[in-house]
Amino acid sequence: MSTEDAPADFDLDAAWRLDDRVSIRPERFGALLYHFGTRRLSFLKNPTLLAVVRGLATHPDARAACAEAGVGPGELPRYRAALAALADSRMIQPRSP
């Protein structure tokens, strides 16, 4: 899948948050996420993606969390795809209004 083909069902303009059952372990390359409910492990392969994930709860939407972490418009499709994968694995979930 190319970065231009990011999953259309992930809404960057929606509010997201880390699932309560997910633990973050920072690493040199980014971080490891462990979901205690599903027992799944995910790798965040760079510190910018870690900053985006950590910023989800404090920003009005995923797009704002990306912007705050320094993700430029040209990089946004790649980060959208990464966030979609995290949503599919239930590491992040929509935040209630």
Side-chain angles (χ1 to χ4, degrees):
M1 168 165 69
S2 76
T3 56
E4 288 79 25
D5 296 329
D9 59 345
F10 186 81
D11 187 1
L12 282 171
D13 297 313
W16 293 85
R17 69 178 182 86
L18 195 65
D19 187 286
D20 290 335
R21 297 167 292 178
V22 173
S23 174
I24 298 176
R25 184 174 125 190
E27 297 285 347
R28 250 180 311 150
F29 57 82
L32 295 173
L33 300 182
Y34 181 75
H35 193 297
F36 286 93
T38 63
R39 300 178 72 176
R40 292 185 77 168
L41 184 65
S42 291
F43 296 87
L44 302 185
K45 296 182 181 178
N46 68 58
T48 302
L49 183 54
L50 175 57
V52 170
V53 169
R54 284 189 164 158
L56 290 174
T58 59
H59 287 83
D61 53 47
R63 189 178 305 275
C66 286
E68 180 67 24
V71 176
E75 299 173 299
L76 205 51
R78 185 167 51 110
Y79 282 84
R80 181 179 185 214
L83 290 170
L86 290 173
D88 286 345
S89 64
R90 298 190 292 179
M91 295 293 179
I92 62 173
Q93 63 181 335
R95 204 169 63 217
S96 301

